[in-house]
Amino acid sequence: MKEGLKPIFASSSDVKVSNDLVVVKGDYVTVVDSLKGTNDGAMMNMPASNKPYQFQAIDLWLIKDGKLAEAWHVEQLLQMMMQLGAMGGAK
């Protein structure tokens, strides 16, 4: 997960991540996170927009024998890109 978030942290000097919800049921753990920051560095071949953004991500982990067996990760990247003006939606 740290690898996947490197571009966000590299392009936003003030990024903050918060765990909004953690649910454990049997062998599954679900985490809903909020991320927010300011795009003050290049991201995904785009120059810095210097605009703030906020989006959520959801992780679902399957734990077997005390170890991570499977992981799913979904981010609202379209929402973030619209806020940064990359998808024509920023104001």
Side-chain angles (χ1 to χ4, degrees), residues 8 12 14-18 34-38 52-55:
I8 300 289
S12 303
D14 64 345
V15 68
K16 301 281 188 248
V17 179
S18 61
S34 290
L35 292 88
K36 65 180 178 176
T38 305
Y53 63 86
Q54 182 173 334
F55 68 98

Side-chain angles (χ1 to χ4, degrees), residues 12-25:
S12 303
S13 60
D14 64 345
V15 68
K16 301 281 188 248
V17 179
S18 61
N19 293 333
D20 299 331
L21 177 68
V22 178
V23 177
V24 178
K25 184 173 182 180

Side-chain angles (χ1 to χ4, degrees), residues 9-74:
F9 284 97
S11 66
S12 303
S13 60
D14 64 345
V15 68
K16 301 281 188 248
V17 179
S18 61
N19 293 333
D20 299 331
L21 177 68
V22 178
V23 177
V24 178
K25 184 173 182 180
D27 294 335
Y28 291 91
V29 178
T30 303
V31 181
V32 178
D33 295 315
S34 290
L35 292 88
K36 65 180 178 176
T38 305
N39 174 231
D40 54 12
M43 180 191 315
M44 296 184 245
N45 297 321
M46 297 180 305
S49 68
N50 294 309
K51 294 180 180 177
Y53 63 86
Q54 182 173 334
F55 68 98
Q56 288 187 304
I58 299 173
D59 290 286
L60 177 61
W61 302 319
L62 173 61
I63 310 298
K64 290 286 187 182
D65 300 319
K67 296 182 180 180
L68 182 62
E70 295 182 34
W72 298 268
H73 179 79
V74 178

